[in-house]
Amino acid sequence: MNDLNHTNEPTRPSWDEYFMDIAHMCARRTTCRRRQIGAVLVKGTRLLATGYNGVPTGIEHCLDRGCLREQLGIPSGQQHELCRGLHAEQNALIQAARNGISIDGASVYCTAQPCVLCAKMLINAGITEIIYDLEYPDPLALEMLHEAGITLRQFTKK
């Protein structure tokens, strides 16, 4: 049901709210035991691709197998390569590539600020803006995104 304003007319979400809501919906598909992250690639007002964090296609899910990072005692934000899964931003980029969708000049809505691995991929993919919900403590990612001239802003619901 739509929210109603003071005149009992349906209120429409802003584009930021709309795409961030979709990113949060994508995050619900995750198979990661540690984090539920979603990402949406957008150009203008057109949704191009979505992603959520989880293992590659055909690989046993961490929800079923257990978390390698937990088993090895790896703290959050360290040794990203020691994980069976892909990040939401990575999966969104891959989905766009698999479907032949140009994302040069696109924006990405993420439920969390990208890590340095995803930041580097987003830079090279031609992403011009990153809108994120939750902060993620990765100063190198922020430094590289700033140096690349990518607009980075935290989502604020109005």
Side-chain angles (χ1 to χ4, degrees), residues 35-141:
R35 291 185 178 268
Q36 292 73 48
I37 307 296
V40 178
L41 291 168
V42 173
K43 195 178 280 188
T45 57
R46 299 292 176 235
L47 191 146
L48 303 175
T50 64
Y52 54 88
N53 56 325
V55 298
T57 304
I59 304 296
E60 188 177 16
H61 296 296
C62 297
L63 288 175
D64 301 325
R65 180 186 181 123
C67 175
L68 175 63
R69 294 175 59 79
E70 284 177 357
Q71 294 163 7
L72 296 174
I74 299 170
S76 179
Q78 297 179 17
Q79 296 180 285
H80 294 283
E81 73 279 4
L82 295 178
C83 179
R84 294 170 47 80
L86 292 145
H87 291 185
E89 302 92 329
Q90 294 168 346
N91 272 322
L93 293 172
I94 291 165
Q95 289 307 311
R98 285 189 69 167
N99 290 296
I101 299 169
S102 172
I103 58 170
D104 191 35
S107 300
V108 62
Y109 286 81
C110 306
T111 59
Q113 176 189 317
C115 71
V116 69
L117 294 174
C118 291
K120 291 185 281 188
M121 291 180 189
L122 294 168
I123 290 166
N124 273 2
I127 299 302
T128 59
E129 181 180 35
I130 298 169
I131 303 94
Y132 65 94
D133 197 0
L134 304 173
E135 291 183 342
Y136 182 74
D138 194 331
L140 182 56

